Amino acid sequence: MAVGSQTNMIVDTSAKGAESLFRMAVRSMEKVYLDRNPTAKAVLDLVLSVDGNQICYDHFAFRTFGVDGYGIDSVAKFFLDFGYTMMEELRFPAKKLKALWFAPPSYDNGSYFGGPLPRIFISELLVDEMSPQSQAVIKKYVKNLGNANRYAALASTLGCLTWETPSYSDYQQLARESEYAAWTLVNGFTVNHVTISVHRLKSQIGNIKSLNHFINEQGFKLNSEGGILKVSPDGLLLQSSTVADSTIFNFSDGVSEPVPCSYIEFAERLVLPQYTKLTNEEIKEFHRRDGFEVGNADKIFESTSMDQITRKAA
Ligand code: OOG
Ligand code: NI
């Protein structure tokens, strides 16, 4: 990679050609997210300080409006172009959402930047199922944008919306019906959350129960929806998350009000029953429970809900 005379540029010497571009883009998405979310940044720094400055991300998540080319595909295209594979669909009828997750080209080797890439979890609001009023609001923002939907990934790396700044009344209309819709209107394609891969931590916080205890002790509020620890029916996928930070948003009609932004998640994937005889050194990511779980995800979505944000810490 040509760096010219710039010395402050991050250069990943292990990545070749287009892979280098891809990793730099993911890095920029992460930077936008960390700059906007002081809690996520503080939690990440804390985990890094305890665990020795190397962590892997289990996944990154995005939210979208499923209408006029602005749904899952708009974000997915970028990841598919760089070698990701579409895996499974998840449905959330009560929330009027669906999601798809995508596996990276490879799960193993090294640290995150130059090593394992995160899974990608992208959801979309089923806009057709919303009230006519909310549909009208959403369609107003996504219409007449030319081909801006093709640049969802670019918007995410830059941290800007692809549509005009929303008005407070439009935000409130969506918030009454779907907190997810309101979140997406003001946050657009910026990363919804990153997830720390807990089983790949090396210290005593390398299991989710002790990590949750530690995070709580340090004064951070965890999402309590359905219990702090979310466990899949097979018992092998364990997840928890902080409650989202809020930020003051300057709406187009002159109102400035706090809106939810992002949270940080933790995931521990246990070894599949057929591989439990392997030694710690032999166990690779693909020997562990893969994928996502509707029951867990349904509760993790609530990390940006007003109920969780305004809840008194336990
Ligand atoms: C996604 C919630 C689901 C998971 O890992 O199951 C999720 C969101 O809040 O957009 O992150
Ligand atoms: Ni997640």
Side-chain angles (χ1 to χ4, degrees):
M1 183 178 188
V3 232
S5 58
Q6 271 186 288
T7 50
N8 61 346
M9 197 166 159
I10 313 163
V11 183
D12 176 3
T13 49
S14 70
K16 311 230 170 1
E19 191 189 339
S20 173
L21 161 67
F22 176 75
R23 286 178 183 272
M24 296 287 273
V26 172
R27 200 65 174 171
S28 296
M29 293 176 184
E30 179 201 19
K31 186 175 185 320
V32 167
Y33 159 86
L34 291 174
D35 286 349
R36 286 201 189 158
N37 296 284
T39 299
K41 171 97 173 67
V43 167
L44 184 65
D45 286 346
L46 194 62
V47 173
L48 285 170
S49 73
V50 173
D51 208 71
N53 277 326
Q54 262 203 0
I55 61 138
C56 298
Y57 285 128
D58 183 273
H59 63 271
F60 278 30
F62 300 87
R63 294 181 177 181
T64 67
F65 288 130
V67 66
D68 291 349
Y70 279 83
I72 295 172
D73 295 351
S74 63
V75 179
K77 178 148 197 337
F78 174 71
F79 292 96
L80 291 169
D81 281 348
F82 287 93
Y84 275 67
T85 308
M86 188 197 290
M87 301 301 283
E88 282 163 307
E89 187 181 289
L90 294 87
R91 289 263 171 185
F92 307 88
K95 289 186 163 67
K96 303 188 170 121
L97 298 175
K98 79 169 191 187
L100 278 174
W101 77 271
F102 300 81
S106 145
Y107 275 142
D108 285 297
N109 65 52
S111 66
Y112 152 60
F113 193 50
L117 291 165
R119 294 168 185 80
I120 298 296
F121 181 99
I122 314 172
S123 55
E124 73 179 28
L125 181 72
L126 303 172
V127 176
D128 292 350
E129 297 181 15
M130 302 294 286
S131 71
Q133 294 88 331
S134 290
Q135 287 196 38
V137 167
I138 293 166
K139 287 176 183 164
K140 182 171 92 186
Y141 286 92
V142 303
K143 76 163 197 242
N144 298 332
L145 296 179
N147 293 323
N149 59 331
R150 293 191 198 163
Y151 303 97
L154 180 62
S156 189
T157 62
L158 296 172
C160 62
L161 294 174
T162 45
W163 44 79
E164 67 179 270
T165 305
S167 71
Y168 190 52
S169 55
D170 286 342
Y171 176 78
Q172 283 180 305
Q173 164 63 40
L174 295 192
R176 277 193 291 275
E177 202 175 322
S178 157
E179 288 187 293
Y180 178 104
W183 188 96
T184 305
L185 186 68
V186 292
N187 289 283
F189 295 111
T190 54
V191 168
N192 172 269
H193 64 275
V194 305
T195 298
I196 295 178
S197 177
V198 178
H199 52 274
R200 289 192 277 201
L201 297 174
K202 293 174 184 63
S203 68
Q204 69 283 4
I205 52 171
N207 79 70
I208 200 160
K209 283 195 184 128
S210 39
L211 179 61
N212 286 345
H213 182 74
F214 174 68
I215 296 294
N216 204 33
E217 248 183 0
Q218 298 290 317
F220 297 103
K221 192 164 75 169
L222 293 168
N223 167 353
S224 65
E225 186 73 25
I228 300 281
L229 188 63
K230 285 74 171 149
V231 184
S232 60
D234 63 8
L236 299 176
L237 174 62
L238 314 175
Q239 292 167 276
S240 62
S241 58
T242 61
V243 165
D245 279 330
S246 293
T247 186
I248 300 291
F249 190 88
N250 300 318
F251 289 95
S252 63
D253 42 3
V255 180
S256 296
E257 281 290 328
V259 298
C261 36
S262 301
Y263 59 92
I264 190 162
E265 187 194 309
F266 315 108
E268 181 175 4
R269 298 179 183 275
L270 300 184
V271 176
L272 294 165
Q274 62 269 38
Y275 299 125
T276 45
K277 296 219 165 53
L278 296 179
T279 64
N280 275 350
E281 289 69 45
E282 287 170 328
I283 293 169
K284 298 275 181 282
E285 187 72 4
F286 70 85
H287 294 123
R288 296 178 181 274
R289 163 66 150 90
D290 206 349
F292 291 83
E293 188 64 47
V294 168
N296 288 15
D298 191 51
K299 299 176 184 84
I300 303 245
F301 275 116
E302 298 295 319
S303 310
T304 57
S305 74
M306 288 320 284
D307 273 3
Q308 285 296 325
I309 290 172
T310 57
R311 178 188 120 240
K312 291 263 181 299

